Amino acid sequence: MERTVPSGLWGIGLGTILVAGGVLTVFGWDTESDSSNRLLAAAILLACFCGILGQQGSSRGSDDVGPTLLLGGLGLGGVLGMEPVNRIFVIGLLAYAGFFLARHLTASLQKTLALVHVSLALMLAVLAIFMEEGGGGVGVLFLVLTFLPLVPFHLPFLGILRSSRESLGSVWLVVWLAAGLSQLQDLEAMLILHVEWKGVLPVLALVSALYASLKAMGHRLPREGLAYATITFLALLWGLSGEFSHIAEWGLPFGMAVALLMSALLCAYAFLHERYGAHPLNTLQGLGAGLPRFRGIFTFLISLIMLLPVLPVVAAFQNIPPDAPEAHFLFPVWLLLFTVWLSVSWVFTTMLHQTAFGKPRPDVPHRDLSVYELWTLLLLMGTASVCGMMA
């Protein structure tokens, strides 16, 4: 595809995000928001910045500037605002998700169920404003499951990624998971109040990981495959939360590492999409084989992703107090770890082979990553690595 002259909107979008980051750095970082929320806000700003930076001169890059800025504003309000202001921004995010699904997702049973799910989450979020702190355990659990999805609560998340272009989907993914990760404190409080959930979560997470990993293996279009792979990783977060306390300390950097690496992978496929259009991976393999910089970065990115199953275990052990009784590691938890590790290894090595090391395509012109695209991937991968080290 022929690239166009850089749009004025591209520069306005980047300038807006830089100004927002500067304002938060000068005035916002000293507020009462804790360090975990500041990490989430920084990740949202970075995802928005990279989502626009990599689209420099793309054929439809200017279409994503407005939605990206809107998502960034809603996400920042949801993770940085004080109660009940943050809940109002979460309601706005859910309302925008419903609008987005209704407008862009093809009519189907999945669309209907996703819209019903979002409507119910929207009502629970409104009710949460009027509840006392810590109240409404089921409602809190439903909201966290909406943003950090387990099967069968994954349809809104899947529908959003399926109906977005890869570049906008990379922003959606980070904002959506950040909204869920900001509620981990609520989840931990709910688990303390309802101890019986701790024994059920590893089994539910294992079932979700099995289903999502099988779906990830079966999908040939990157967006759907990556959505299911993300749900597989999130099963680890849920499965280990029943065994390890202090989930907000180890779960947040792990969740951000997952979000930023999946966002980078979506951006990488956006760059291929810009050059060759959307193709099933199994019918047009090796599109990245003629792009040396792309192949090197993509290989490193997949290598980082395959380390992700290790992070929550290491991080959780690091955050356990010496006298804590956690870490029994029941059989379902071991089975969950084994399942996730094997399945994501299969999914991403196959994806690497099909994309970067498949049969070269002599019949298509190759144009390697631009400086803007290269920095987009490096920034996301570098920040995800920092999150991994913090875990």
Side-chain angles (χ1 to χ4, degrees), residues 50-351:
C50 291
I52 296 177
L53 178 69
Q55 296 302 303
Q56 192 267 357
S58 72
S59 56
R60 294 183 56 194
S62 58
D63 295 348
D64 293 341
V65 173
T68 297
L69 294 179
L70 177 58
L71 282 173
L74 293 172
L76 288 176
V79 302
L80 280 180
M82 303 300 292
E83 298 236 6
V85 177
N86 58 344
R87 294 194 181 277
I88 294 174
F89 279 93
V90 170
I91 290 170
L93 181 61
L94 287 168
Y96 183 53
F99 168 77
F100 194 87
L101 289 170
R103 182 173 183 182
H104 297 288
L105 191 60
T106 307
S108 62
L109 178 61
Q110 181 202 335
K111 177 178 181 177
T112 304
L113 294 176
L115 287 174
V116 171
H117 184 131
V118 170
S119 302
L120 185 56
L122 198 56
M123 287 189 288
L124 290 172
V126 172
L127 289 175
I129 294 179
F130 302 101
M131 292 180 178
E132 295 182 359
E133 188 174 353
V138 176
V140 170
L141 180 61
F142 189 84
L143 286 175
V144 180
L145 278 169
T146 300
F147 289 110
L148 300 175
L150 285 181
V151 176
F153 302 94
H154 64 297
L155 292 181
F157 176 73
L158 177 64
I160 286 170
L161 288 194
R162 176 176 284 174
S163 54
S164 304
R165 295 174 67 232
E166 287 87 352
S167 54
L168 184 59
S170 69
V171 180
W172 261 114
L173 192 149
V174 173
V175 172
W176 196 258
L177 295 195
L181 291 169
S182 69
Q183 301 179 55
L184 285 181
Q185 296 282 4
D186 295 336
L187 175 64
E188 188 158 19
M190 189 271 302
L191 289 177
I192 293 173
L193 290 174
H194 305 277
V195 182
E196 63 275 10
W197 278 101
K198 289 189 175 183
V200 178
L201 279 177
V203 178
L204 294 177
L206 176 60
V207 173
S208 176
L210 281 171
Y211 178 83
S213 58
L214 289 174
K215 295 290 285 186
M217 293 176 193
H219 273 283
R220 300 304 179 190
L221 290 177
R223 283 173 300 185
E224 286 85 345
L226 293 181
Y228 278 113
T230 305
I231 297 168
T232 305
F233 280 123
L234 292 177
L236 275 182
L237 186 69
W238 284 98
L240 294 180
S241 65
E243 281 297 303
F244 297 109
S245 63
H246 307 281
I247 182 175
E249 295 181 20
W250 58 265
L252 191 143
F254 167 68
M256 273 295 92
V258 171
L260 292 172
L261 289 179
M262 292 297 115
S263 177
L265 206 47
L266 281 169
C267 286
Y269 278 109
F271 303 151
L272 285 185
H273 189 165
E274 179 64 24
R275 286 162 172 76
Y276 309 119
H279 298 290
L281 293 175
N282 59 334
T283 59
L284 280 177
Q285 299 185 10
L287 288 178
L291 314 176
R293 277 191 293 195
F294 176 88
R295 185 165 61 179
I297 292 290
F298 194 82
T299 303
F300 187 46
L301 175 57
I302 294 293
S303 302
L304 290 177
I305 290 172
M306 290 174 67
L307 290 175
L308 282 173
V310 183
L311 287 181
V313 181
V314 176
F317 271 117
Q318 286 180 340
N319 287 285
I320 294 177
D323 57 344
E326 295 88 348
H328 305 299
F329 266 117
L330 303 175
F331 177 72
V333 178
W334 279 114
L335 191 57
L336 172 64
L337 280 169
F338 185 69
T339 302
V340 172
W341 193 314
L342 273 185
S343 60
V344 298
S345 297
W346 176 268
V347 169
F348 288 106
T349 50
T350 304
M351 193 174 285

Side-chain angles (χ1 to χ4, degrees), residues 367-388:
R367 178 168 46 82
D368 212 343
L369 294 179
S370 69
V371 174
Y372 299 99
E373 293 167 337
L374 183 63
W375 274 106
T376 295
L377 298 180
L378 289 177
L379 285 172
L380 290 170
M381 291 163 58
T383 310
S385 300
V386 172
C387 289

